[in-house]
Amino acid sequence: MALFKKKRGTNETMKHGAKLITLAKPKSPIAEQFRTIRTNINFMSVDEKVKTIAFTSANISEGKSTVSANVAITMAQAGKKVLLIDADLHRPTMHQTFELRNVVGLTTVLTSEADEIYMNQVVNADVIPNLSVLTSGPIPPNPAELLSSKRMKAFLENVSSHYDVVIFDMAPILEISDSQILAGEMDGIVLVARQGVTQKAGIKRAVEMLEITKTRILGYIMNDVRTGADGYGYGYGYGYGYGYEQDTKKA
């Protein structure tokens, strides 16, 4: 018996990339919501530095790639030197989002036997001012082994010293074990849920899995919130708290 009702996503973002509303319509209410998310994350860094942040979701197609890309852009627009890494080695999207080649990328770094990696050969620098992007690279047969390797930890330390913020777009945590492995290496995690799709039981289980790795959960983002009376318009919320009373209910 399935623990959760299965929600299969689409391949739209994989084929066409995420929508970069913060670039296309920087004065829109949604872009302003992303800037609010950026501000809230900055507040979390007051007492404890948050340099490495990962965005994940319970399941696929809940908007984590769109959120991570747009939050990365708002941070770059604020003057921070940002590296956005596509660490979803199963369903990578960032190369499509930013219209980049994906011949080399994160998996190139992790599988290289070279003593030193020249970042300018794998990172797409200044895709927009202050924002660099590391695509996933070729999809490997063993993502979990790569993301849990010593080379991954060394790479993380390296990029953390060169950028103000490093943002990871991780695979959905309930579907792929890679994310739980990588989450433990982050300064903080943000969970993305899609209104009307994500089940509360899924969010609860995702939180439990992150707590096992002692990952600091910075908060959650409710994605695809309909705000207009006519059904148009979407919003993003940021905060804390989960409702568990009926696990089969949707967020």
Side-chain angles (χ1 to χ4, degrees), residues 85-86 89 101-112 117 121-124 133-138 155:
I85 298 177
D86 194 341
L89 302 184
R101 297 186 67 194
N102 196 28
V103 178
V104 297
L106 178 60
T107 57
T108 309
V109 175
L110 300 180
T111 56
S112 173
I117 295 292
Q121 296 179 354
V122 292
V123 171
N124 299 277
V133 176
L134 178 61
T135 62
S136 68
F155 170 71

Side-chain angles (χ1 to χ4, degrees), residues 72 202 207 211:
V207 171
E211 288 178 343

